[in-house]
Amino acid sequence: MAGRSPADLTVLLESTPPGRQIWLRGAGRSLYPLLRSGDSVRVLRCESEELARGDVALVRVGRRLVAHVVTSTEPVVTASLLGVQDPTGVVLGRITALRRGRWMLPLPRLIRPTLFLGHRLLAQVWSRPKGREALRGLRDFTVSGWSRPLRRRWLGQLEIRLLRAEDLDALLVFAGERLLVPSGFLRMQLLRRWSREDPEGAAVGAFDQRGRMCGFAWLDNYREEGLALDGLWVRSLVVAPRARRMGVAYQIICCLVEAARAQGADRLFADIDDDNVASLRTFRRAGFRSSTPELTQRVNEEWKVAGGVKPLVVLERTLI
Ligand SMILES: CC(C)(COP(=O)(O)OP(=O)(O)OC[C@H]1O[C@@H](n2cnc3c(N)ncnc32)[C@H](O)[C@@H]1OP(=O)(O)O)[C@@H](O)C(=O)NCCC(=O)NCCS
């Protein structure tokens, strides 16, 4: 949930009397594609006994708020549309409507059986490797070359630039949807470091004609996360599927290269999963070349200690 932190939203919800409804702006892919980042949800405050299978419940799981389908009651169990079950949480209410821009989709109790069956079907497909492959194939098909002209028209003129303090909301919505980086960390970095007059590190965003962020990456050293690696590294490069294969990642990297140069850096690094063909091609196209075997080994050792599993390729680009 964007804008306010989950803790603030929980306090707000808990102080709302049962039977009352409130609108909250959501960020997160809990019920994607039914519910998307930036959408609002109307929550009816209620107790867990009032929920039934097929309802969409708002539940606090640890420090996160999730809006998921109720798959069984007594006790209430919730799961994502793809069938990933949540750990036990605290029920805060039932979602009664979704709002995206000017559109509102009511979720009356009548659609409970449809939602429950739809969820079961999707979960079954997703649970099989072939089903997962088919769903991923479908997703890749929608972002391949044939749909590019349509997507271009829909996105309009793209603006790719360094982030400013006023981009915070757009960044948090994008982060909730696509990044694993905690929003508190991004907020602090943007306001205290990246948008200063003499910035430390930098962040670049791609924005569509409606001002929605559709691509992002940042540049910083690794010391903040306790890794003993020097230099500036490109981090969290992600382009939303609707804007892929249009050169957005390439332009984001070029913009970061300029920012690093302006800050006097002589070299820029990137670490990439060795099977990430798209990312490797993007960095190589932007002039990055393989780093030394020594650095590659050191990065992989640090990464392993930090819990990384996949081998990383390390690339670098000289700036002078
Ligand atoms: C990797 C990613 C950032 C690329 O974004 P993008 O905006 O689609 O990339 P671009 O359009 O700028 O393409 C740049 C190059 O990569 C190639 N490329 C992009 N997507 C590709 C794909 N799926 N398969 C093969 N090549 C691909 C392009 O053809 C282009 O190469 P070329 O100039 O030699 O033709 C995007 O696919 C993404 O967000 N993936 C998920 C997150 C991720 O993996 N991030 C990288 C972490 S290091």
Side-chain angles (χ1 to χ4, degrees), residues 135-147:
L135 285 180
R136 286 201 177 115
L138 191 68
R139 183 200 61 192
D140 289 348
F141 183 62
T142 59
V143 301
S144 59
W146 75 269
S147 64

Side-chain angles (χ1 to χ4, degrees), residues 205-239:
F207 296 88
D208 66 17
Q209 61 184 350
R210 279 166 284 177
R212 292 196 319 166
M213 191 181 274
C214 54
F216 171 75
W218 52 293
L219 187 70
D220 223 320
N221 58 53
Y222 261 124
R223 271 171 253 126
E224 301 244 336
E225 287 112 294
L227 298 188
L229 295 169
D230 293 325
L232 284 173
W233 294 74
V234 178
R235 317 282 294 280
S236 302
L237 171 66
V238 178
V239 174

Side-chain angles (χ1 to χ4, degrees), residues 24-88:
L24 302 174
R25 181 140 164 272
R29 289 155 60 86
S30 308
L31 276 182
Y32 185 85
L34 192 60
L35 190 59
R36 289 201 325 215
S37 149
D39 293 349
S40 301
V41 292
R42 190 174 62 200
V43 187
L44 170 71
R45 276 287 282 150
C46 68
E47 301 298 330
S48 51
E49 299 78 52
E50 295 165 63
L51 293 174
R53 276 191 340 184
D55 277 335
V56 178
L58 186 71
V59 181
R60 179 168 58 76
V61 180
R63 284 189 292 171
R64 284 185 316 138
L65 289 182
V66 292
H68 277 173
V69 182
V70 175
T71 55
S72 63
T73 52
E74 293 174 14
V76 168
V77 177
T78 53
S80 70
L81 267 189
L82 294 176
V84 181
Q85 195 172 308
D86 301 313
T88 310

Side-chain angles (χ1 to χ4, degrees), residues 21 28 67 71 82-83 110 135 138 155 162 202 267 289 310 313:
Q21 307 204 64
T71 55
L82 294 176
L110 270 177
L135 285 180
L138 191 68
L155 292 167
L162 287 172
R267 201 169 287 263
R289 298 290 171 258
K310 282 189 181 173
V313 172

Side-chain angles (χ1 to χ4, degrees), residues 236-240 243-251 271-273 276-279 281-283 285:
S236 302
L237 171 66
V238 178
V239 174
R244 285 191 191 161
R245 311 299 293 256
M246 296 181 186
V248 171
Y250 172 75
Q251 290 180 67
D271 50 337
I272 301 151
D273 286 345
N276 194 338
V277 178
S279 187
R281 271 184 77 162
T282 309
F283 276 97
R285 187 182 161 209

Side-chain angles (χ1 to χ4, degrees), residues 150-168:
L150 276 177
R151 292 188 283 122
R152 268 194 207 285
R153 274 189 67 174
W154 178 44
L155 292 167
Q157 182 76 33
L158 293 176
E159 189 189 6
I160 295 162
R161 57 165 173 79
L162 287 172
L163 291 195
R164 309 187 275 256
E166 59 268 29
D167 297 319
L168 181 61

Side-chain angles (χ1 to χ4, degrees), residues 299-310:
V299 170
N300 276 287
E301 281 165 5
E302 288 282 335
W303 183 231
K304 224 176 188 171
V305 174
V309 210
K310 282 189 181 173

